[in-house]
Amino acid sequence: KGESVVMASESLSRALLSSGGLDHCNDPVDLLLVEHHRQRAILDCMIRTIEAREVDVADVVAVMRPLKADATLHRADEEDSLFPLLFQRKRREDNIEPLIRQLLGEHGLLEDAAATVMAQLTACRHEGRMQIPVALRADLLRLIFLAETHLALENGILLPIAHQRLTLRDRLSIGHDFQSRRTRAPIPVWPHLADRCLSPVRH
């Protein structure tokens, strides 16, 4: 049953994403799934970029930028809005406390890993195409692995529980929080991201 919930939710997230953006999403849990799908698209784009023998550092930075821009807002959505209400609605069989602790710890690890990558990219002042330094490639792959594992936990376990436990009042409260954050700091639109992720890496 849980697996079917995840499949249905992820199918919905793809439909919402392709229908014109986040404004079409009425359920804040589905909004998170939409954003997770976008983050996965960015991670796929990162993999395609660094698989090339030589890359332009500017291309790697361009792929990283939307992930970094979303991170603070998305983390606040989860830590300040979703997690506290979900903790209140938990049931014993959910065993959600260790999961939330793990996800909170992973948020810190992801932030540190992204900062490490951005610092190394900033230090690469090479013009044009170059081979990615071994250390930078390793840190990029670590960031991708951490992010994909984190998203799998949230999509596969946390958000299906949220769908079942959160009340309509909870969803309205969380949705209001999400809207307020996006009013204060709108998410930038990256119109060419999907095209880049579906296209071969430029050589």
Side-chain angles (χ1 to χ4, degrees):
K1 181 179 178 182
E3 187 178 71
S4 64
V5 169
V6 176
M7 289 177 64
S9 297
E10 291 204 327
S11 297
L12 175 61
S13 76
R14 290 184 176 87
L16 289 166
L17 189 64
S18 62
S19 68
L22 305 179
D23 291 339
H24 294 272
C25 191
N26 295 319
D27 188 329
V29 179
D30 289 330
L31 171 60
L32 291 174
L33 281 165
V34 169
E35 294 190 341
H36 287 174
H37 180 64
R38 179 175 56 193
Q39 289 167 14
R40 277 182 162 167
I42 296 170
L43 294 172
D44 288 344
C45 202
M46 287 173 63
I47 291 172
R48 287 174 178 264
T49 301
I50 66 176
E51 278 179 346
R53 181 181 295 274
E54 292 186 344
V55 301
D56 191 321
V57 172
D59 287 345
V60 184
V61 172
V63 175
M64 279 286 298
R65 190 175 291 122
L67 193 66
K68 189 173 184 295
D70 285 353
T72 301
L73 189 61
H74 190 77
R75 183 173 180 175
D77 287 343
E78 294 183 346
E79 294 187 4
D80 298 340
S81 299
L82 176 67
F83 290 177
L85 273 175
L86 193 51
F87 191 83
Q88 291 179 32
R89 305 293 179 229
K90 71 183 186 300
R91 296 182 185 175
R92 182 179 302 174
E93 64 266 27
D94 295 336
N95 193 32
I96 205 169
E97 295 97 328
L99 175 61
I100 289 179
R101 283 197 299 270
Q102 178 177 345
L103 293 174
L104 287 170
E106 288 179 359
H107 282 172
L109 289 175
L110 284 163
E111 191 173 291
D112 291 345
T116 297
V117 166
M118 290 304 294
Q120 291 192 63
L121 288 170
T122 302
C124 289
R125 302 186 181 279
H126 184 84
E127 295 289 336
R129 303 187 69 79
M130 59 174 285
Q131 288 190 343
I132 297 182
V134 174
L136 175 55
R137 185 183 294 273
D139 285 334
L140 280 163
L141 290 173
R142 178 174 180 270
L143 173 60
I144 292 167
F145 174 78
L146 287 172
E148 288 184 338
T149 302
H150 183 79
L151 291 174
L153 276 176
E154 291 193 338
N155 286 359
I157 302 177
L158 184 85
L159 296 185
I161 292 175
H163 268 301
Q164 295 177 24
R165 299 290 180 250
L166 295 178
T167 66
L168 176 58
R169 186 185 295 269
D170 293 336
R171 294 168 196 267
L172 290 172
S173 173
I174 294 172
H176 179 270
D177 288 349
F178 286 10
Q179 185 61 45
S180 177
R181 289 189 190 100
R182 282 154 182 77
T183 301
R184 295 195 305 268
I187 297 179
V189 176
W190 311 97
H192 304 301
L193 178 61
D195 292 338
R196 290 192 63 177
C197 291
L198 293 174
S199 303
V201 176
R202 291 184 293 110
H203 293 285

